[in-house]
Amino acid sequence: QVQLVESGGGLVRPGGSLRLSCAASGYGFSLNYMGWYRQAPGKQRELVAGITSEGITEYVDSVKARFTVSRDNAKNTWYLQMDSLNPEDTAVYYCHAYVRFVGHIAGDTYWGQGTQVTVSS
């Protein structure tokens, strides 16, 4: 079992910034891929950004040049730095991880509890 705990959401003005954090805890695992998803009311959940343990990143087009995903392998923690926020970024943000377990070929996926990001004046 792996637990993901995320934090950093809140209310921010348009043009402002927030940084989300997600920390994984447990035993006998390694993080292969760390992602950030978001879901707004009436919309499908979408992958916003992701990063591998080696530092390779990807982003959905709508957040490129505004959001930055990073990770601290030693802390089993990853981040989403969100700049130039606009109301369209309002959503519940979820961290996600694909985890490998020592001695096993197959891995598993885990989700954080979600944190609300609201961009409003």
Side-chain angles (χ1 to χ4, degrees):
Q1 181 67 35
V2 176
Q3 296 82 43
L4 307 185
V5 179
E6 60 184 289
S7 61
L11 175 64
V12 65
R13 298 174 181 175
S17 299
L18 286 173
R19 190 176 82 152
L20 307 182
S21 300
C22 188
S25 62
Y27 297 95
F29 75 95
S30 62
L31 296 168
N32 275 190
Y33 184 87
M34 295 143 279
W36 290 97
Y37 289 74
R38 67 184 181 188
Q39 187 165 27
K43 294 185 177 180
Q44 296 183 18
R45 185 174 298 187
E46 66 173 347
L47 176 66
V48 177
I51 186 169
T52 70
S53 59
E54 293 77 24
I56 302 172
T57 61
E58 61 180 346
Y59 301 91
V60 67
D61 287 344
S62 60
V63 309
K64 288 180 179 177
R66 299 191 299 121
F67 291 8
T68 303
V69 63
S70 61
R71 86 278 183 267
D72 186 332
N73 289 338
K75 296 181 179 179
N76 282 335
T77 300
W78 59 107
Y79 310 91
L80 185 66
Q81 178 67 43
M82 303 183 292
D83 299 319
S84 301
L85 285 162
N86 61 67
E88 292 185 359
D89 297 315
T90 296
V92 178
Y93 284 70
Y94 300 88
C95 59
H96 173 267
Y98 176 69
V99 175
R100 297 290 300 276
F101 295 93
V102 294
H104 294 79
I105 297 175
D108 207 351
T109 61
Y110 292 88
W111 292 91
Q113 80 279 9
T115 185
Q116 177 71 47
V117 172
T118 302
V119 184
S120 176
S121 61

